[in-house]
Amino acid sequence: MTALDLSSPVAVVGTGTMGQGIAQVALVAGHSVRLYDAVPGRAQEAADAIGARLDRLVEKDRLGGADRDAARARLLPASDLADLTDCALVIEAVLERLDVKQELFRALEDVVGEDCLLATNTSSLSVTAIGGALRNPGRLVGLHFFNPAPLLPLVEVVSGFATDVTSATRAYETARAWGKTPVACADTPGFIVNRIARPFYAEAFAVYEAQGADPATIDAILRECGGFRMGAFELTDLIGQDVNESVTRSVWRSFFQDVRFTPSLAQQRLVESGRLGRKTGQGWYAYGDGAEKAEPHTAERSRPPAYVSVEGDLGPASELVGLIREAGIQVREEEEDHGTRLVLPSGGQLALADGQTSVEFRDVVYFDLALDYRRATRIALSASQDTAPQTLSEAIGLFQALGKDVSVIGDVPGMIVARTVARIVDLAHDAVAKGVATEEDIDTAMRLGVNYPLGPFEWSRRLGRNWAYALLDDLHLRDPSGRYAPSLALYRHAYATDKREGGTS
């Protein structure tokens, strides 16, 4: 099954921001595009807006003048659904309500031909449920574009329970012919991106609710240590707190209130107060003229230790040993393997976040996972009230000597980046095991859909097969609610490696 021929007209129903964006994509690809909106006059307004955007593309030398003129000639507002009779593909981008979408597609079935492909751009509703109202649900497929559609490359191609393979394949190939990067997935709550991205927000909010750190510090750690483009608080302010909270709640409900997807009470209170983010001038942060920029907590300068002793293999943090040497600090490698840690002159220890807490041990400071310890500009440390001040001071001075800003957070098990990455990896393994999508498509979706620095499986391979399981298992012991219980898929993944190496679990 191949992509739609360029001679085939495409219709977009619903002319809001997303509908206009999808129409522009199909138009620039070379199709004739019909625009329909139930509100009189909206289709013409959308056509004018798309024309203006095409003009800007010409001004930026991204589109030729002749191509712009030809595209404008192919863009036709429709005043009635009957005007879509000869379309080969109809994509809806209307109100995110099941009854509204079902009613629209029932009406379309009475208008378009039997071979017309029907597609929904829903981001949170079940494609199966939408198609359940149709006489021929096999021709309905999900085509979930990301906003802004003309710029973001990812399209999730979602097969409902009744979707024909030929319909899904044609939709996939058409999206690819339009210059997009399609990924195939089953009809599961949140599809790929909105399912697997939940921990990025949830863990940041959980650390905040536990008073482990303030939003600006958590965001700075996610960016400058974890390598994420934006932190969870600033990103949800950009998305809109109401929108983000609604998606989280939808996924949670769709999974029968699975504790792994539990919404944040702090975010709910923010929404209830009307502080929805940038669009209202106040969210986690204040915006507008005169608003003070929130700054992350950064530790004062401390003297670096004269030396550190390395015990065991630091695993994902092993490159720190070379960085410490380059900073002129002596590294003593102990012959006896007492664990995986750095020992400071005071006798205190530095350990990579592992799901345990500092208060459980004598004089231990944890440091967070970094995407790249050489390039990271900030490192998070966590300590308990029992940690010796000298130990914490030496730990701060050590990372400052490596050129890093240091943020000290509360005694949070798994810290910030480590627990977030571990949960993302876990949900990704669980999704593959349940047939949602392939490893490759999940990695592609998370890189392109939400700009993650690595896909979950890329991260998993880099960190080691047992890393995420071990961290979550330790977290689960400290929070037995089930939120951090590793999935069976992650357990099997870790156990398979251990078994080959002679382990038992």
Side-chain angles (χ1 to χ4, degrees):
M1 181 64 67
T2 58
L4 292 178
D5 190 272
L6 290 180
S7 63
S8 302
V10 171
V12 177
V13 179
T15 59
T17 301
M18 184 58 77
Q20 290 181 30
I22 295 171
Q24 182 179 327
V25 170
L27 194 64
V28 171
H31 289 272
S32 294
V33 175
R34 314 281 170 78
L35 284 174
Y36 175 77
D37 197 290
V39 179
R42 285 274 178 85
Q44 183 60 59
E45 291 174 5
D48 294 340
I50 293 170
R53 282 198 290 275
L54 295 178
D55 289 340
R56 288 194 291 274
L57 290 178
V58 172
E59 293 169 4
K60 296 176 180 178
D61 292 325
R62 296 178 184 172
L63 187 69
D67 291 334
R68 184 253 335 260
D69 295 341
R72 278 185 157 179
R74 296 194 303 271
L75 182 59
L76 301 173
S79 58
D80 193 280
L81 281 181
D83 296 334
L84 313 183
T85 302
D86 61 339
C87 289
L89 167 64
V90 180
I91 306 174
E92 70 80 16
V94 300
L95 189 64
E96 197 74 344
R97 272 179 43 188
L98 179 61
D99 59 335
V100 172
K101 293 180 188 292
Q102 287 178 328
E103 183 180 353
L104 170 63
F105 281 117
R106 279 195 295 263
L108 283 169
E109 273 196 310
D110 294 333
V111 171
V112 299
E114 291 294 326
D115 58 347
C116 177
L117 183 64
L118 301 178
T120 172
N121 183 58
T122 185
S123 61
S124 61
L125 298 177
S126 165
V127 174
T128 301
I130 295 170
L134 303 184
R135 294 191 299 271
N136 177 16
R139 62 169 162 173
L140 179 75
V141 65
L143 274 178
H144 181 215
F145 289 78
F146 287 73
N147 194 29
L151 297 180
L152 294 186
L154 184 69
V155 177
E156 292 177 320
V157 181
V158 186
S159 293
F161 187 78
T163 301
D164 293 334
V165 173
T166 53
S167 298
T169 303
R170 171 154 283 186
Y172 184 98
E173 294 300 333
T174 298
R176 185 158 64 177
W178 290 358
K180 296 300 180 183
T181 303
V183 292
C185 65
D187 184 22
T188 184
F191 309 141
I192 298 175
V193 172
N194 280 330
R195 171 179 179 151
I196 295 174
R198 292 351 290 165
F200 179 74
Y201 312 109
E203 293 313 306
F205 299 159
V207 171
Y208 167 75
E209 290 175 341
Q211 300 187 57
D214 59 276
T217 299
I218 296 170
D219 278 353
I221 292 166
L222 287 168
R223 286 193 316 268
E224 300 170 36
C225 183
F228 292 95
R229 185 167 295 187
M230 298 180 74
F233 296 90
E234 59 188 335
L235 180 55
T236 52
D237 267 358
L238 178 64
I239 294 169
Q241 297 302 330
D242 53 338
V243 174
N244 182 262
E245 201 268 349
S246 175
V247 172
T248 298
R249 193 167 294 278
S250 173
V251 172
W252 174 63
R253 286 174 175 161
S254 297
F255 276 115
F256 308 106
Q257 300 185 1
D258 187 328
V259 68
R260 295 176 302 166
F261 301 101
T262 302
S264 161
L265 180 59
Q267 187 182 36
Q268 178 182 311
R269 292 289 182 259
L270 204 66
V271 172
E272 290 171 343
S273 71
R275 298 185 173 191
L276 307 182
R278 288 182 176 272
K279 60 187 177 184
T280 61
Q282 178 74 55
W284 295 110
Y285 304 111
Y287 301 92
D289 296 337
E292 252 185 72
K293 182 180 178 182
E295 296 293 340
H297 165 76
T298 302
E300 298 292 331
R301 298 297 303 180
S302 290
R303 185 185 299 276
Y307 68 91
V308 295
S309 298
V310 180
E311 294 185 351
D313 178 7
L314 296 180
S318 58
E319 67 180 319
L320 279 176
V321 176
L323 296 178
I324 293 170
R325 285 197 174 103
E326 290 173 20
I329 297 173
Q330 182 186 2
V331 175
R332 301 175 181 177
E333 298 197 36
E334 300 293 331
E335 292 184 6
E336 292 187 30
D337 184 359
H338 296 292
T340 56
R341 58 197 177 187
L342 296 169
V343 181
L344 300 164
S346 64
Q349 300 168 18
L350 260 174
L352 176 62
D354 59 7
Q356 302 181 86
T357 57
S358 179
V359 75
E360 299 171 51
F361 305 97
R362 187 186 68 81
D363 219 10
V364 169
V365 173
Y366 278 106
F367 63 92
D368 210 347
L369 177 70
L371 173 68
D372 183 333
Y373 283 99
R374 180 175 294 276
R375 299 178 63 183
T377 58
R378 183 178 298 271
I379 293 293
L381 302 179
S382 73
S384 75
Q385 66 271 21
D386 297 329
T387 304
Q390 180 62 21
T391 297
L392 182 56
S393 177
E394 288 178 346
I396 292 170
L398 174 65
F399 282 104
Q400 287 174 339
L402 304 186
K404 319 298 183 189
D405 288 328
V406 176
S407 293
V408 180
I409 69 171
D411 190 14
V412 178
M415 299 191 69
I416 295 170
V417 179
R419 69 197 284 178
T420 299
V421 170
R423 287 208 59 216
I424 289 169
V425 167
D426 183 44
L427 288 186
H429 278 280
D430 185 52
V432 169
K434 291 176 177 173
V436 174
T438 64
E439 291 185 9
E440 182 181 6
D441 275 356
I442 287 174
D443 275 355
T444 298
M446 301 314 290
R447 285 196 316 268
L448 299 184
V450 278
N451 289 310
Y452 283 5
L454 293 174
F457 293 97
E458 292 174 311
W459 231 319
S460 183
R461 288 188 290 272
R462 175 186 287 199
L463 296 170
R465 292 172 66 97
N466 192 53
W467 180 85
Y469 174 80
L471 186 144
L472 290 175
D473 196 38
D474 276 336
L475 263 172
H476 178 53
L477 287 174
R478 287 149 186 83
D479 179 358
S481 65
R483 179 189 182 101
Y484 300 104
S487 67
L488 179 58
L490 190 64
Y491 172 79
R492 285 173 171 158
H493 179 75
Y495 177 77
T497 301
D498 285 349
K499 187 175 181 181
R500 286 197 296 271
E501 294 173 356
T504 57
S505 63

